[in-house]
Each structure stands twice: as structure tokens, then as C-alpha cells.
Amino acid sequence: MERIGFIGLGIMGKPMAQNLVKAGYQLVVHDINRGAVEEVAAGGAAAAASSKEVAAQSDVVITMLPDSPDVEAVVFGPEGVAQGVRSGMLFVDMSTIAPATARKVYEALKQEGLESLDAPVSGGEVGAKEATLSIMVGGTEAAFQRAMPLFQVMGKNIVLTGGPGAGQVTKACNQIIVGLTIQAVAEALTLAKKAGVDPAKVRSALLGGFAQSRILELHGQRMIDHNFKPGFKIKLHRKDLAIALQTGREFAVPLMTTSQVAEMMNALIAAGNEELDHSALALVVEQLSGEK
Amino acid sequence: MERIGFIGLGIMGKPMAQNLVKAGYQLVVHDINRGAVEEVAAGGAAAAASSKEVAAQSDVVITMLPDSPDVEAVVFGPEGVAQGVRSGMLFVDMSTIAPATARKVYEALKQEGLESLDAPVSGGEVGAKEATLSIMVGGTEAAFQRAMPLFQVMGKNIVLTGGPGAGQVTKACNQIIVGLTIQAVAEALTLAKKAGVDPAKVRSALLGGFAQSRILELHGQRMIDHNFKPGFKIKLHRKDLAIALQTGREFAVPLMTTSQVAEMMNALIAAGNEELDHSALALVVEQLSGEK
């Protein structure tokens, strides 16, 4: 059984690491948050003082970090993963970062004789805890097959969509569709409400037809209940759309509507709501409609 | 069994009327297109020379027309339905029109002792032929129950969402969500393609997660195949979004993203593509991305 290093024990990373421990893997973990490290260590994982030390004790290193600069720091920094690697190791970054950064990491580690995968996830904290995450993977088929037993401990819908960076591109596509569909449902249900039609009945009616989506089902209900407890925080979705827009610029794809929804998220954050669930985009539409 | 009048035998109305004939109803039909009238008459319906004449021979009058002015003309015009009505009749407009027009028709016919329902549909030509339409209804519960046996001959997902006009508001909500979700899928899959990731693999990966929708499933596939044969023509969807935006103004709901997608549809139409399926919104994104 491969020895697993896990770096980044936040809301997502902690339950993912814990699921690997429960599945019987030997884990060595690291995070700047000592409390999270101790919690995972209490379940049977070893703690390491740096990313370099994690890498030195592992066959596969998994990272789950907030953003591109964090991944670059953890990989290339002074006590980083790249300092502790040996040829034949596998590096799997499950953070949501820019595809360009994922490709940069891939190329750099390849020089050291390592294979890398970018493998961002979707499904949130609940998916991480229940091991039902969707995992979108970019890299070689061989590396994908090697990581598969680990992915199966953390998720359910696991797809290799292409070479290095393809997982991150797929995740950007996911966040575009999720963000725009939330905005769509927000505009529709706000219109219904202000036109005197029960949004709950509209949601039910539309779920049976062509407007059906998981967003209408779940976030439509959140909007009806005005339940914006996260879930997936709007500030994280804005970060993800920034990645999508950056990737659009890189490949010359003007993402007109994505950029508008990103600005809607900015409006929500400007109003002090950055910690709310992304379904709170409905609050922007309501505010524009004169509601307090 | 109630005698049914059916006015408007276009792409949608003709198969709907034919399904009523097949179900054993006695139908009298009218359309400005003689060919369509003869076709439905050949199946056993009677033909009438005007909307007034249809009304004079029916207990329930159903209309299925292109837009608000058509419904107003058929109801209030010189040889219109209102000229042939008797108290106790039921009027059911299944066209997609402005909620404000639906309420106006309701009020005017109420003065004549009639009940009316606005009952627009979703599901397209295939849904009309296969009697699987979604039917979104506004009006009184009693009128809804009276029309239900007829609706069940034409559709499957039949919901009363509120009083007069509520069916049209629900349809506007449906068209908002469908239009914006198509734009979302178009931006996402174009980004994937230009970033060198197979859009078919992205579609498959995302269908298992939070970005799932019927639009991603069906129109995502259309975009991958570049199959833009209608389906639902972009010019009709633009008309429906115009209704949504008009309703937004009426009830003070700024529909920022809906208006942008309506302009994307204008761009598609400006390029001479008004007869294509609405999934051809992908062509606008591709064109903006420098593709020919």
C-alpha cells in the first residue's frame, strides 16, 4: 500500500484525509493550522513539520489548498514538496487553481522524474465527508490509474478529461455553469415572487421540464427559504470565476455572461456577504428589485 | 364530453389538436393556414371559417398562437372569439404571451361570464406530438379542474401555479432559466474546446455533479455535434425573453443576465441564424472567440 502525504487540512482537506486514514492508508499530514493536524493525527495519521518532510516520507503527495499561489508556495517554496521528492513519486493537487499553474507544476515536477495530476473536486464539505466528491482529473492515463484507488476513497464520479491542466479546465467549466445557473434561478424566482406567483410552485413546475437542474432543485429551495448558510461560500466561487476568466483570456474566449455573474458576486461581497452560500446571488437580484 | 374549439394549428397547435381528436373529442378548428386545417379535418375535426364561428360551436375554446397581439386579435377582433361566446364557456390560451395580456384577456372574458386559463407549454414539437408537454397554468382552481382532462391528453407535467397570468409568469421563468443555462453551457464548452480539453469529456464529467441539468445533457450534446437544427428556434426564444424583460419592467425586477443573453440571441439573429435551434447560442461564443 502506498504511503500517502496530505498537505492542506481545511474544510475540504481534513475530511478527505480522514477518509484515507479510515480506508487503512498510512498518512503523514501537514497544515499551518496545528489544530487540524492534531485532529487528523488523533485518527492515526503522522504529523510532519513541513511540506518537504511530508514528501520525504511519501509515495504519493496530495495537496488541498485555497488557491494557485498556495500550491506554488507548497511545491516550490524553501521547505516545499519539491525539496523532498524522489523520482517515481506521484503528486496529486486536488485544489482548485488556474490551469496554467497546474501545467507549470506538472512541467517542473516532470524535470524531477515525478508524474503529477491536477484533480480538483466538486461536491463541497458534505461531499468531502461522505466521500461522494466529483473528481475532475488532468494528466496521463498511467498516473490516473495509479491514483484511482485513492480517488475512490474520496469520491464517486471520477473522470480523466485530458492531459495536464485538463482537470482544472473542467473545474472552471463546472464553476461557470454552476454560477450562471444560480443567477438564472435567482432572476427567475425573484421575477415570480414580485409578480405575485409563489416561487415554490414555479420551482416545482419547472423541475419537471426543460429548465430542470440540480441548482434549481437545491439552490431554488435555498432561495425560497432564504437559507444562505454555506454550503459553498460566495468568496470561493468568485475566486473560481476569476480563474475561469483568466483562462478565458489565455485562450481568447470572451466569457461575457460569466464576467457579468462574477460582477454580481462582487456586488454581493461589496454588501458584506462574502461568507454566505453562493445561492445568495438571489440577494443581489432582490436588492436590485428594491427589496431590503 | 365537452365540444372543443381549437384555434392555431402551427407546429405546436396541430399535433395538440390531433391528440385531442385521437382521444375522442369533438373538435372544431380554425387557422389562417388552410392546409393545416384540412390536415386536422382529415383526422375527424370540423373546420370553421372564423374564430367567432369556432366559439359559437364549442364549450371550451383553446388557442395556440405565436404572440400576444395574435391572441388579442383572435379574442377581440371583428370575427373573434369574444363575438361567439356564451356564459359558462371556458377559454384556454396555451400560447406563450405576456402575463399582462393574459390578465387583460381574463378580465375582459370574465365580463362576458367566461372563465379563462393561461396555460403555456414547454417541451417543443416533440412534446406536442408525444403528448408529453409541461403545462404551466394560471387561473382559478375550478377552471383548472375543468380543463384537466384536456391537458392530460396533451401533456404530462401539469401544474396550476397561481391566479390569472401565473402560467405566463411561470413560462417566462422557464425561458429565463433555459436561455441562461444554454449560455452557461456554451461558454463552458467553448472554453474547454479552445483550452484543448475534449468538450464531450467535460460534459460527461459535469453531468455527474452539481452542474447537472437537462440543458447540459441535451444542448451540450448538440453543441458538441454542432447540430443546430431546431428544436426550438432562437427567434422564438428571443420573443419569450422579450416577454420576460417586459414583465421584469412591469414588476421592477432588473433582469441583468437575462438581458445580456437576450442580446446574445440578437447577435445570433443579426448573423442570419434566426431559424436555428436556441442551442446555437454557442455559435456566438465561438464567433467572439475568433472561430469562423
Side-chain angles (χ1 to χ4, degrees):
Chain A
M1 223 171 192
E2 305 211 84
R3 296 170 305 161
I4 313 300
F6 205 110
I7 301 165
L9 303 172
I11 290 175
M12 298 294 291
K14 192 173 70 180
M16 290 163 72
Q18 287 170 325
N19 282 331
L20 288 166
V21 172
K22 274 183 223 152
Y25 283 99
Q26 183 186 328
L27 248 72
V28 51
V29 302
H30 177 61
D31 194 287
I32 47 171
N33 175 353
R34 287 272 189 105
V37 171
E38 281 163 22
E39 206 176 323
V40 180
S50 70
S51 298
K52 175 184 170 180
E53 208 180 289
V54 168
Q57 301 174 51
S58 306
D59 304 310
V60 180
V61 174
I62 299 172
T63 48
M64 190 61 180
L65 298 160
D67 204 350
S68 310
D70 308 295
V71 173
E72 292 200 76
V74 158
V75 173
F76 302 120
E79 292 290 308
V81 169
Q83 306 293 318
V85 295
R86 298 167 313 284
S87 183
M89 282 178 56
L90 176 65
F91 177 73
V92 183
D93 178 37
M94 302 187 75
S95 323
T96 295
I97 65 169
T101 306
R103 290 190 302 271
K104 181 179 163 187
V105 167
Y106 177 88
E107 292 301 336
L109 293 181
K110 201 176 173 183
Q111 301 301 317
E112 310 287 330
L114 271 71
E115 276 288 343
S116 307
L117 294 170
D118 48 295
V121 305
S122 151
E125 190 178 356
V126 171
K129 285 183 176 165
E130 296 178 355
T132 57
L133 294 168
S134 289
I135 309 179
M136 297 153 263
V137 190
T140 65
E141 178 68 36
F144 178 66
Q145 291 307 335
R146 181 172 168 192
M148 187 53 105
L150 303 174
F151 290 151
Q152 285 170 332
V153 170
M154 297 181 278
K156 283 254 179 292
N157 179 38
I158 304 153
V159 187
L160 180 72
T161 58
Q168 295 297 350
V169 169
T170 306
K171 178 68 189 281
C173 292
N174 187 78
Q175 296 305 74
I176 288 171
I177 293 176
V178 169
L180 272 60
T181 309
I182 292 174
Q183 179 68 18
V185 172
E187 293 196 0
L189 295 188
T190 304
L191 180 65
K193 192 170 153 191
K194 287 207 74 178
V197 182
D198 182 355
K201 288 191 177 160
V202 171
R203 173 183 166 278
S204 296
L206 301 194
L207 276 177
F210 211 55
Q212 177 280 337
S213 68
R214 202 154 297 173
I215 297 291
L216 176 60
E217 190 183 346
L218 300 177
H219 285 357
Q221 191 59 50
R222 273 177 169 279
M223 291 176 201
I224 289 162
D225 300 337
H226 256 234
N227 166 23
F228 301 127
K229 183 170 165 274
F232 187 71
K233 290 180 181 176
I234 194 75
K235 66 179 180 184
L236 294 175
H237 204 150
R238 181 174 69 162
K239 181 213 97 182
D240 292 352
L241 288 197
I243 290 171
L245 292 168
Q246 176 190 335
T247 307
R249 284 190 294 275
E250 183 184 353
F251 293 101
V253 183
L255 299 167
M256 309 291 273
T257 307
T258 302
S259 76
Q260 195 182 57
V261 172
E263 294 303 333
M264 292 289 171
M265 292 179 179
N266 283 343
L268 191 64
I269 290 167
N273 291 319
E274 67 175 24
E275 301 290 335
L276 295 187
D277 186 69
H278 53 169
S279 55
L281 271 175
L283 292 176
V284 181
V285 181
E286 289 177 7
Q287 189 189 15
L288 288 167
S289 306
E291 302 211 355
K292 294 298 154 69
Chain B
M1 224 172 191
E2 305 212 83
R3 295 170 305 159
I4 313 299
F6 204 109
I7 301 165
L9 303 171
I11 291 176
M12 298 294 291
K14 192 172 71 180
M16 290 162 73
Q18 287 170 326
N19 282 332
L20 287 166
V21 172
K22 275 183 223 150
Y25 283 98
Q26 184 186 326
L27 248 71
V28 52
V29 302
H30 177 61
D31 194 287
I32 48 171
N33 175 353
R34 287 271 190 107
V37 171
E38 282 163 20
E39 207 177 321
V40 180
S50 70
S51 298
K52 175 184 170 181
E53 209 179 288
V54 167
Q57 301 174 50
S58 306
D59 303 310
V60 180
V61 174
I62 298 173
T63 49
M64 190 61 178
L65 299 160
D67 204 349
S68 310
D70 308 296
V71 173
E72 292 200 76
V74 158
V75 174
F76 301 120
E79 292 290 308
V81 168
Q83 306 294 318
V85 295
R86 299 167 311 286
S87 183
M89 283 177 56
L90 175 65
F91 176 74
V92 183
D93 179 36
M94 303 187 74
S95 323
T96 295
I97 65 169
T101 306
R103 289 190 302 270
K104 181 179 162 185
V105 167
Y106 176 88
E107 291 301 336
L109 293 181
K110 201 177 173 186
Q111 301 301 317
E112 310 288 329
L114 273 70
E115 275 289 340
S116 307
L117 294 170
D118 49 296
V121 306
S122 151
E125 190 178 356
V126 171
K129 284 181 176 164
E130 295 178 355
T132 57
L133 294 169
S134 289
I135 309 178
M136 297 152 263
V137 190
T140 65
E141 178 69 35
F144 179 67
Q145 290 307 336
R146 180 172 170 191
M148 187 53 106
L150 305 173
F151 290 151
Q152 284 171 333
V153 170
M154 297 181 277
K156 283 253 181 292
N157 179 38
I158 303 153
V159 186
L160 179 72
T161 58
Q168 297 296 351
V169 169
T170 306
K171 178 68 188 282
C173 292
N174 188 77
Q175 296 305 75
I176 288 171
I177 293 175
V178 169
L180 271 59
T181 309
I182 292 174
Q183 178 68 18
V185 172
E187 293 197 1
L189 295 188
T190 305
L191 181 65
K193 192 171 155 191
K194 287 207 74 179
V197 181
D198 182 355
K201 288 191 178 163
V202 171
R203 172 183 166 278
S204 296
L206 301 196
L207 276 177
F210 210 55
Q212 177 279 338
S213 68
R214 203 155 294 171
I215 296 291
L216 176 60
E217 189 183 346
L218 300 176
H219 285 357
Q221 191 59 49
R222 274 177 169 277
M223 291 177 202
I224 290 163
D225 299 337
H226 255 236
N227 166 23
F228 300 128
K229 182 169 165 276
F232 186 71
K233 290 181 182 175
I234 194 76
K235 66 180 181 185
L236 295 175
H237 204 149
R238 181 175 68 163
K239 181 214 97 182
D240 292 352
L241 288 196
I243 289 171
L245 293 168
Q246 177 190 334
T247 308
R249 283 191 294 276
E250 184 184 353
F251 293 101
V253 183
L255 299 167
M256 309 291 275
T257 307
T258 301
S259 76
Q260 195 182 56
V261 172
E263 294 304 333
M264 292 288 169
M265 292 180 177
N266 283 344
L268 191 64
I269 291 167
N273 291 319
E274 67 174 24
E275 301 291 333
L276 295 187
D277 186 69
H278 54 170
S279 55
L281 272 176
L283 292 176
V284 181
V285 181
E286 289 177 8
Q287 190 189 15
L288 288 168
S289 306
E291 303 211 354
K292 294 296 153 70

